[in-house]
Amino acid sequence: MAEAFQQTLSSLELRLLRCTIPSDHPLSSSPVSSSTDLLSLIEDVIQSIESGCYVRALSSEAVKAVFDFNSAGSFTNSMDSAQFFYSELLPERVEWFINSGSDEMDSGYRMLLVMSVAVAALLAFTQCNITGYFLSLFSLIGK
């Protein structure tokens, strides 16, 4: 069981890494059998990244699972709110999500999910700054 877990994590990590390296060869994704909800969320985010649909990855259920801010209250539009969000609330939510795993395997999947969302955010940021914004990003802001 542990060997299959390590092999699955390695396979997903390599797919994620290949998304960041330019290549003339198309990515061939080997679908992972989704034995857990987390694994299917990871697979969804990585497929979105592989196809270049970073906005889809960032608006997926995976992001909602990691960054559940419903109980965070409301924020005012101020520097203090932004500082609180990025320096305290965001790291706290990520740490809570990772540490709420039931065992080592669950925590491993949770870490990979956070890393996948982070890669999608980095690639979306890079794409916006090199090619300009994409209209679908503004439709997300209004939600």
Side-chain angles (χ1 to χ4, degrees):
M1 181 71 173
E3 187 176 317
F5 166 68
Q6 288 296 338
Q7 189 174 18
T8 300
L9 275 184
S10 295
S11 169
L12 291 167
E13 288 171 351
L14 286 173
R15 285 178 58 197
L16 196 56
L17 182 61
R18 286 186 61 196
C19 294
T20 62
I21 301 170
S23 174
D24 293 334
H25 307 293
L27 295 173
S28 60
S29 64
S30 55
V32 178
S33 61
S34 297
S35 60
T36 67
D37 290 338
L38 284 173
L39 198 51
S40 64
L41 289 175
I42 294 166
E43 182 70 25
D44 182 49
V45 171
I46 292 177
Q47 284 179 352
S48 296
I49 294 170
E50 286 174 335
S51 63
C53 299
Y54 310 126
V55 173
R56 186 174 71 204
L58 294 173
S59 60
S60 69
E61 289 300 315
V63 174
K64 294 172 188 167
V66 175
F67 303 111
D68 179 23
F69 294 114
N70 291 334
S71 62
S74 62
F75 296 100
T76 58
N77 190 9
S78 70
M79 288 295 284
D80 291 337
S81 291
Q83 182 177 358
F84 170 73
F85 180 82
Y86 289 110
S87 66
E88 295 179 34
L89 187 61
L90 187 65
E92 176 185 299
R93 297 294 174 155
V94 170
E95 185 177 347
W96 173 85
F97 178 77
I98 291 172
N99 291 334
S100 64
S102 57
D103 57 13
E104 184 180 329
M105 193 164 75
D106 193 45
S107 293
Y109 287 139
R110 288 172 180 271
M111 284 185 240
L112 184 60
L113 182 59
V114 170
M115 184 171 57
S116 300
V117 169
V119 168
L122 174 67
L123 293 174
F125 174 81
T126 303
Q127 185 179 45
C128 282
N129 284 292
I130 291 175
T131 63
Y133 66 89
F134 22 84
L135 295 176
S136 57
L137 180 63
F138 289 107
S139 67
L140 286 177
I141 294 171
K143 288 185 179 179

